[in-house]
Structures are given as structure tokens and as C-alpha cells.
Amino acid sequence: MKSTIKAFVASAIITAGLVGTVSQVEAKPSNTYVRDRVVFEVVEISAEENEFGTVPMVVRETYDLDNPDLLGDYPVVETQVVQVGSEPLIIWRETLSSSDPKGSYTPERRAHAVSTRLTNLAESLGIDTLEEMYQAGVVNNEVVVFASQEAGEANTDNVVFTLSPGNREQGDIFVEHMTEYGNGTASGEPLYN
């Protein structure tokens, strides 16, 4: 019995060694697809002031079309940053109260949530600029900026972010700035929320 266990362990170690050796050999994919997409990253602006920024960028991704994964998706084999916004689109300063079990929406949590939401919206709407994507509206008695390719009403499914109390009267200014940022005519000053 002990010799059987030893033989099994030894063969497992040898197999693992072979798999490790094979996986270290990288073959260049011969059949690739390249595309650019818009993503939004979070940067720390000031640790002392607890400020975080949402910065748009364009990345170029190369996919290996010869080796789909188990779900049929193609793996990204290379990612290059093609363009980075020179200034943050939004700088997050305010903590907002929330009924979320994780507690209040701190500037860092808001920056991460909105950056992820913007990246996902850009992907799902198939956009590669911010131009003509945003509108101001009201959801749950809160002034929000929401995303829609057509004129419509804000709802919980299309909210991008909630305006802080000091900015609630400036929804249209936020929308105008985000549109100008997207088409390259913005003043260069970020929005503070």
C-alpha cells in the first residue's frame, strides 16, 4: 500500500513537472484580432484630502483566435495603453451616505464604482468616446448623471453616478463637461464631486 502511494505521488510530481515545463514555453499566436477600447481607471489624487480621480484611457488588446477558453472566449495576449486622458474626468471628494451593507460611499469607493460602470457602459454601448452619452435626471429623489444613447428617463439600470449635495443643481453642467471632455473641447479642468 505504501509503495502504491509513493508511486502515485511520484507520478503526480513528474506529471506536474512536465506540465510546468510545457506551460513555460510560449508560442506566439499566429491568428490574432486587435481592437481598441475605452476603459476608466482610478488614480489617487491626494491621500491627505482623500481624493480619487476617474481617468479615461484607450487600450489596444490583442486576442489569440487559435486558443479559445472553455466558454469560447478568446484570451487577451497583449494589452497596450494607446491614449490616457491628461486630466481626470472627475475627482471624487465627497462621502455620500448609503444603505449599502458596506457603509457609506467614500470617494475611493465612488471612484472605483463609477470607473467600472463607465468601462462596462462603454463596452456594452459599443462606444469609443464619451460624446453624447450622458444626461442628467432624478432617481430615488437624487440628482444623477445617467447614460443613454437616446433621450430617455433615468432609472436604476442606467445611472452612472449620483451628484453630491453641493452639485445637485449642476447636473446639466456635469453633462456638458463630460460631453466636451469626450469630444476633446473641455477646458482641461476636472469635475469635482
Side-chain angles (χ1 to χ4, degrees), residues 22-75:
V22 170
S23 67
Q24 289 177 2
V25 175
E26 290 188 33
K28 295 281 184 192
S30 60
N31 188 17
T32 61
Y33 170 73
V34 178
R35 76 170 186 145
D36 291 351
R37 69 185 195 108
V38 176
V39 297
F40 296 82
E41 292 293 322
V42 175
V43 295
E44 185 178 73
I45 303 296
S46 168
E48 286 180 12
E49 301 290 325
N50 196 26
E51 293 180 341
F52 293 84
T54 295
V55 177
M57 61 179 63
V58 176
V59 296
R60 180 164 293 139
E61 296 176 330
T62 303
Y63 296 84
D64 179 0
L65 300 180
D66 291 330
N67 296 301
D69 63 17
L70 293 174
L71 299 175
D73 295 325
Y74 299 106

Side-chain angles (χ1 to χ4, degrees), residues 117-133:
R117 197 170 299 132
L118 286 169
T119 298
N120 291 340
L121 282 168
E123 182 75 18
S124 68
L125 295 175
I127 64 158
D128 41 280
T129 71
L130 301 175
E131 205 171 356
E132 299 176 10
M133 182 177 160

Side-chain angles (χ1 to χ4, degrees), residues 45 51 87 89-94 163-164 166-167 170 174 189-193:
I45 303 296
E51 293 180 341
E87 294 291 328
L89 174 64
I90 304 170
I91 294 179
W92 304 94
R93 293 178 157 170
E94 302 287 328
L163 293 173
S164 61
N167 290 326
Q170 300 179 0
F174 268 74
E189 287 295 313
L191 296 170
Y192 292 90
N193 193 34

